[in-house]
Amino acid sequence: MEKIEIVKDGYRIILGFLIITLAVFYFWGIDAAIVPALLSCFFIYFFRNPNRPLPTDDSILYSPADGTVMNIEEFFDDEYLNEEAKKVTIFLSVFNVHVNRAPMSGEIKYQRYTCGGYLPAYKDSASFVNERHAIGLDNGKNRILVIQIAGLLARRIVSWVTLGKNIKQGECYGMIKFGSSTELVMPKTVEVLVKKGDKVKGGLTIIGRQIS
């Protein structure tokens, strides 16, 4: 069974709603306190971070997020790889774990934050229009691009890493608050092992395998 921790970015929100719950209960009673109490429980649930083992396989790319595979496509990536690539898009509902994990170990050779709008994360145009944060990882054998994309409810992308940092496969590197999507861009030589509609878990589900 996974040990559950709370992401530190949620402490202030959770504490704030717990204080509101106690204040409402003190002044107006238990009936009035039900709504803020439920919101407190939701935020505790939302900011959960399951403690998962760190995999160590350079030939495997693990899911960067919990959610549902929304799309798989081939295209030319001119942002980081500069070659023909494959992209797997994962949609995160408000009920999924929102912590993002590194699909492989490597050094962050590219990082870009882009301001944008807040279309629903399942819209195809969201990856071009919405607020997003991208990191490019390089381990000497493979290069990938991981993109966090804000959604309709998401209003902040959180990153805990900087350019030049080395991160381990499965390590948490950021999160998106309240509904979003995450894209994994890989070389065309990677064999994709998931299909549209599959449920995936960050750091546990194998997304692809390097075949050459």
Side-chain angles (χ1 to χ4, degrees):
M1 184 176 181
E2 294 177 331
K3 178 183 177 181
I4 304 295
E5 299 177 353
I6 302 297
V7 178
K8 62 181 180 179
D9 294 80
Y11 289 173
R12 182 179 298 180
I13 295 175
I14 294 168
L15 179 60
F17 272 90
L18 288 174
I19 292 173
I20 291 172
T21 300
L22 291 174
V24 171
F25 172 74
Y26 180 81
F27 288 105
W28 292 286
I30 191 169
D31 289 342
I34 290 176
V35 172
L38 289 175
L39 287 173
S40 298
C41 293
F42 168 75
F43 287 123
I44 292 172
Y45 177 75
F46 180 85
F47 285 102
R48 70 197 186 281
N49 181 18
N51 188 358
R52 296 171 179 171
L54 300 181
T56 55
D57 190 336
D58 289 341
S59 67
I60 295 296
L61 295 177
Y62 286 87
S63 176
D66 288 30
T68 304
V69 176
M70 187 170 60
N71 196 25
I72 301 172
E73 61 180 294
E74 295 187 5
F75 74 116
F76 186 89
D77 175 56
D78 57 4
E79 181 173 4
Y80 176 63
L81 300 184
N82 294 310
E83 62 179 322
E84 293 294 331
K86 296 175 180 177
K87 179 170 69 176
V88 175
T89 302
I90 301 166
F91 172 72
L92 293 74
S93 76
V94 293
F95 301 107
N96 288 124
V97 172
H98 270 60
V99 173
N100 291 118
R101 300 171 186 270
M104 71 177 196
S105 299
E107 180 182 351
I108 299 176
K109 293 286 188 72
Y110 173 84
Q111 186 173 28
R112 186 179 74 169
Y113 171 79
T114 305
C115 294
Y118 299 99
L119 290 177
Y122 57 82
K123 294 282 189 180
D124 291 339
S125 57
S127 60
F128 303 102
V129 175
N130 285 12
E131 174 191 0
R132 55 201 180 276
H133 173 252
I135 61 169
L137 287 176
D138 189 333
N139 65 3
K141 299 177 181 179
N142 202 2
R143 295 190 306 148
I144 62 169
L145 181 68
V146 190
I147 307 170
Q148 299 166 290
I149 303 171
L152 179 63
L153 298 177
R155 297 292 166 172
R156 186 185 174 197
I157 294 175
V158 178
S159 176
W160 304 319
V161 295
T162 57
L163 194 66
K165 177 181 173 62
N166 284 287
I167 56 178
K168 298 178 180 179
Q169 191 173 47
E171 180 181 345
C172 300
Y173 75 88
M175 73 177 299
I176 319 170
K177 294 182 179 180
F178 312 127
S180 53
S181 65
T182 302
E183 295 181 340
L184 174 58
V185 180
M186 311 160 283
K188 196 174 181 180
T189 53
V190 171
E191 178 188 8
V192 176
L193 300 176
V194 293
K195 63 184 183 300
K196 186 175 180 179
D198 281 356
K199 305 293 184 182
V200 296
K201 286 191 173 184
L204 294 177
T205 304
I206 297 175
I207 295 293
R209 177 183 289 112
Q210 187 69 40
I211 56 177
S212 64

